Structure formats: C-alpha cells, structure tokens
Amino acid sequence: MTERLVVVGGDATGMSAAAQARRHRDVSDLEIVVFERGHFTSYSACGIPYWVGGHVRERDHLIARTPEEHRARGIDVRLRHEVVELDVAGGRLRSRELATGTETWTGYDHLVLATGARPIRPALPGIDAPGVHGVQTLDDGESLIAALAAGTGRRAVVVGAGYIGVEMAEALIRRGYEVTIVHSGAQPMSTLDPDMGVLVREALQGLDVKVVGDSEVTEIRTGDDGRVRSVFAAGREHPADVVVLGIGVVPETTLAAAAGLPTGNHGGLLTDSAMRVTGYDNIWAGGDCVEVLDLVSGMRRHIALGTHANKHGQIIGANIGGGYATFPGVVGTAVSKVCDLEVARTGLREKDARAVGLQYVTATIESTSRAGYLPDAPVMTVKMLAERLSGRLLGVQIVGREGAGKRVDIAAVALTAGMTVAQMTTLDLGYAPPFSPVWDPVLVAARKAVRAVRERG
C-alpha cells in the first residue's frame, strides 16, 4: 500500500527530506507532497545580502533546485499553498491556496515540519511603511533591490547589528549608500563577547558606517507621502531613505504549537536525535523551526543556519526512507564578512559559560594569517575560553582580515572532539608562510589558554 509523506515548507530541510526519501523509496511506494507558501523552492536565504550587494548577479543563481526539477523526480510541489491547520489525531492537515482561497484537507502517513523561522518585526509605529524592508525570502530581496534602484536618496538605516545587519551594511555600501546601523546592544555582533564586538564596531566605523549602540528603536517616522524618512531611537532621529530590518529571527512554530506539539524554551520544536518530534512516531521536524542540542553546554538552543537545516533534511529523509541516521548536536559555529572584515565564533561566549555554571579562563592574542615577514600580512584577534580546572575548550572568537574567519573550523572540530587546550597545542596543522605563521594563531591562543589554566586552575 502506498504511503504519503507530506512536507510543510519547501526550502532547505523540507526539500532535502523529500529528495532523500525519494532516493530511498519509489513513487509506487511513497507519495510525496510539499506545501510551500512562497514562489520558490531550495534557495539560499543566506545569499540574499550578496545578491543585494551585487556579488551575485541573478536571483536564480541562489536557487539550488526549481519546483519543476523536484516534480520531475516524483515530488508533488504545491507553491503558494499555506498550511493553516494540523489535525494530529486525524493524521491530516488543512491547506489554503493563496491565489484562490480554496481550502483542502490532506491526509498523511508521515509529516515533516520545515516551517523555518520568521524575522522579528516589532509592532512599532511606521514598521509597515513603504521603504521598510526585511531580507528573509527571495521576494524580500527582489523588493529591496527594486526599491534601491528606484530610490533617489542615498541614506540607509539598518536596524540590528547581527550577521544579517552587518552583511546588509556591506551590501548597501556597495550600492553607494550612507549607512547607519542602529542596535540595542553595547557593541555590534552580540554573538561575540563585548570586547570582541568592539573590534567589529571599530572596523565598521573605518568603513564610514555610523554605528549607534544602546539604542532601542521606538518609531519609524514617515513623511507627508507616507514613506519612511527616519528611524527614531533613544531620543535621536536618524534620517533614512530606506530601512532594512536585521533584528533576528524566531522559530516559526505557530502552526505546530496550535496543534499541541512540544516546544522548548526558545520556542522551537523539540525532537529526538533522529529528528522525530518528541512523543510522535510519524511527525518529523528540522531546520530553523527546531531547537538543537549544544554539545558544549549540554543545553538546547535555537540556531538558524542553512548548514544544519540541510543536514536535518537528509537525516529525516533517510529515516522515512527506511534507513537510520541521527543528528548529534552543534557547537554553534558561524562566520560572517563585511567588506574585508571576517568575523567568526564557535562554542560558548563568557555569558553562556556563566549561564550554565562553568568556571572558565580566557586568552586573547593578536597574530597574522600568514608569516609576519610577508608584505601586508593581515592581522587577526583570537579569543579563547577554556574550563578553569580541566582545560576543556569552551569557545573561540576570531575577528580579522583575509584568512581569519575559516580558522574557526579548527576550533569547531576541537570542540566536537571534546579536546582540551593543551591537546590543541599539538595539532598538526598545515604550514607554509603564505598561509600561516609557524604557530597558527589558533594554536598561539591555545598556548596562552594553557598558561591561564595552570595559573588559575
């Protein structure tokens, strides 16, 4: 008897799960239906700032696989269909065709929830005014690019200073805009410790970006024509011809929560290691709508990254297809770039370590990404956290120029392996003067962390 797999959400997790399940099971054995409320499938939302900034020339370059390609592989993709209700007890869901309003119930044997995350959009006066843009979907990117091309002014305000905020700052600089970043934290990039965030702020200011911290936006003001004219925050007005929102995202679990599915402290769905929703044998979830295990702290957290989303989909599809796969967890690795500045982190920040009761030491060093005697060797700063008594690596943050960001992968592997900073000092890393000093900066930081452990442990 043919079973039916229904997928809610047609991007990274959803389409990876559908494609992987199809590889394992034939059309005669498993029918696959995907509901996607947008116009596209399998696209890179992470690439939108680079499309806006001109690094990516065409929208379609961000699309990994079109709906037509999925359909040719036996996957029934239904675009512009929004799922509005889950009947878990009855094993069915209700969808609405957005063009006509027609609603239909569809039964399922297996259900995959890949609803992603929704951008934080506070209920502020003027938040929906023309000229205010998000950058969550390809439709958002098209709308912003069209607005930038048609606009006459050259003043942009980015609200939020996380990864999306700083990446959008670069995109707007490349388009000739005067950019102001307004954010509520003491320093930009709250994913870093404040002492490392200072380096990001200084670099942004060096690019002529105005960075305004400790400023909660309370109003987006409009002109007589109804369009945005300024952002008001902490008693100051910042003129704007265009506003880009980069405040962050939260798990999109409205549908799941209404159906009684379990969510965690961060609002994400809870799953087991096979990506089944806790307590349900035939409901699966992955990507930005779930919480994942942090392998360093042992706590659950929400991390919205396409890397995890694609892995979740592969695992779900393999399990539905009759195989076996699990997702062990994450260490919280992320990297970003604004112009020539590279910013990376993995593991815990100081406040994360304190929150879970870990005693720690820190070590911060400055080095270069290649031998210092080579011309213009780019400088980087590396900060390392280690557990005070055991010396176990807890986290690494890196801010620098060319060759800095991807060095965080060394630390990510060490964290996953549960290595101590002493063990890290003996790692056999690649060396040649164009790529590294004799002692790689990450290992220099590890050596300093070893001394800190000895002194304080």
Side-chain angles (χ1 to χ4, degrees), residues 310-333:
N310 278 284
K311 292 171 189 171
H312 294 168
Q314 292 283 312
I315 290 164
I316 292 168
N319 288 324
I320 292 174
Y324 175 72
T326 62
F327 185 76
V330 302
V331 294
T333 308

Side-chain angles (χ1 to χ4, degrees), residues 90-425:
R92 61 179 189 160
L93 54 78
R94 181 165 56 93
S95 63
R96 178 182 299 134
E97 187 175 0
L98 296 178
T100 64
T102 303
E103 295 190 349
T104 307
W105 284 97
T106 304
Y108 61 81
D109 298 289
H110 306 278
L111 174 65
V112 175
L113 297 174
T115 47
R118 65 178 183 274
I120 297 172
R121 197 177 181 98
L124 301 176
I127 193 73
D128 295 319
V132 180
H133 297 268
V135 285
Q136 185 76 3
T137 67
L138 292 186
D139 289 330
D140 293 337
E142 282 188 317
S143 175
L144 177 56
I145 289 171
L148 295 176
T152 55
R154 280 291 179 267
R155 300 169 301 180
V157 173
V158 177
V159 181
Y163 292 108
I164 294 298
V166 298
E167 288 168 0
M168 286 308 306
E170 175 183 359
L172 292 163
I173 289 170
R174 287 176 57 86
R175 283 185 166 265
Y177 276 73
E178 299 175 10
V179 180
T180 299
I181 296 178
V182 180
H183 64 104
S184 59
Q187 302 296 341
M189 300 293 288
S190 61
T191 52
L192 305 177
D193 287 323
D195 55 336
M196 297 295 282
V198 168
L199 303 178
V200 179
R201 174 174 56 79
E202 292 172 348
L204 287 168
Q205 290 171 334
L207 298 169
D208 292 328
V209 175
K210 184 179 180 181
V211 182
V212 183
D214 289 323
S215 296
E216 190 79 38
V217 174
T218 54
E219 183 182 359
I220 295 177
R221 295 180 173 175
T222 57
D224 294 337
D225 58 357
R227 294 187 58 81
V228 62
R229 67 175 175 85
S230 67
V231 171
F232 191 74
R236 296 173 61 187
E237 192 168 15
H238 305 280
D241 301 299
V242 63
V243 173
V244 176
L245 302 177
I247 305 172
V249 298
V250 294
E252 179 48 271
T253 54
T254 307
L255 184 70
L261 300 182
T263 57
N265 294 332
H266 304 281
L269 282 163
L270 299 179
T271 70
D272 62 17
S273 59
M275 305 310 298
R276 282 189 185 89
V277 172
T278 304
Y280 296 85
D281 289 337
N282 67 333
I283 302 179
W284 316 72
D288 296 355
C289 67
V290 305
E291 295 183 12
V292 293
L293 176 66
D294 187 310
L295 297 175
V296 185
S297 69
M299 308 294 286
R300 286 192 171 269
R301 58 189 298 192
H302 177 243
I303 299 180
L305 281 176
T307 50
H308 307 319
N310 278 284
K311 292 171 189 171
H312 294 168
Q314 292 283 312
I315 290 164
I316 292 168
N319 288 324
I320 292 174
Y324 175 72
T326 62
F327 185 76
V330 302
V331 294
T333 308
V335 64
S336 187
K337 181 176 179 291
V338 52
C339 294
D340 66 340
L341 181 71
E342 299 179 5
V343 182
R345 57 75 50 90
T346 188
L348 307 183
R349 300 165 295 180
E350 290 194 47
K351 71 176 186 179
D352 300 325
R354 290 193 297 268
V356 295
L358 289 171
Q359 296 184 2
Y360 62 90
V361 298
T362 67
T364 303
I365 63 97
E366 187 176 283
S367 185
T368 56
S369 61
R370 51 181 178 258
Y373 51 76
L374 291 179
D376 302 319
V379 175
M380 73 176 75
T381 301
V382 181
K383 179 177 181 177
M384 187 169 287
L385 275 71
E387 194 169 15
R388 185 172 69 86
L389 293 178
S390 70
R392 176 173 65 108
L393 179 67
L394 297 179
V396 171
Q397 299 164 39
I398 303 174
V399 177
R401 260 65 189 189
E402 180 188 0
K406 285 294 283 181
R407 272 183 162 84
V408 78
D409 289 342
I410 303 169
V413 173
L415 282 168
T416 304
M419 295 179 71
T420 66
V421 288
Q423 289 171 327
M424 288 184 67
T425 63

